[in-house]
Amino acid sequence: LKKLAVDYLHPEVGVTSVDGAAFGRNYFNRASAPEVEDDEFADERAEVLAEAAALKKLAVDYLHPEVGVTNVDGACFGRNFFNRASAPDIEDSEVANERAAVLAEAAALKK
């Protein structure tokens, strides 16, 4: 009974044949077995696996934004809205100080 329990709980051990009369038939590798896979099914399976790999890559890209984006195509470009020539000028420190002084004076006048 213990041997049967061990065999059931540990299928990775495998089966050893002790009886010479014990035999089995392999229905997958026999000569009269039907053809395993047609070419069109193999092509379709390859396409499905390629689509699944592409979807997995997109899912990983979506779920892990810390990985970053690598530029593969030379025609890929983006527009930088901060360093372009038509971007509004950044305020100088002189103008910022003057604005702060004017706001301070306006606040003092309200009191």
Side-chain angles (χ1 to χ4, degrees):
L1 187 60
K2 181 178 179 180
K3 182 182 181 318
L4 290 175
V6 168
D7 289 343
Y8 181 76
L9 291 175
H10 299 287
E12 68 273 3
V13 173
V15 178
T16 57
S17 177
V18 290
D19 188 11
F23 61 91
R25 184 170 181 184
N26 188 348
Y27 290 96
F28 301 105
N29 294 332
R30 68 182 197 277
S32 63
E35 194 62 34
V36 175
E37 189 173 14
D38 293 337
D39 288 339
E40 67 182 41
F41 290 131
D43 294 339
E44 185 175 346
R45 183 170 52 91
E47 289 176 14
V48 168
L49 289 175
E51 289 176 5
L55 285 173
K56 181 179 180 182
K57 183 183 180 313
L58 287 174
V60 168
D61 290 345
Y62 181 76
L63 291 174
H64 298 286
E66 69 274 2
V67 173
V69 178
T70 56
N71 188 2
V72 180
D73 190 7
C76 291
F77 59 90
R79 185 171 181 184
N80 188 349
F81 291 98
F82 302 103
N83 295 332
R84 68 184 195 278
S86 62
D89 292 333
I90 298 174
E91 193 174 86
D92 293 336
S93 61
E94 215 174 88
V95 175
N97 291 337
E98 185 178 342
R99 180 181 302 197
V102 169
L103 290 175
E105 288 175 8
L109 288 175
K110 284 185 180 180
K111 289 183 182 180

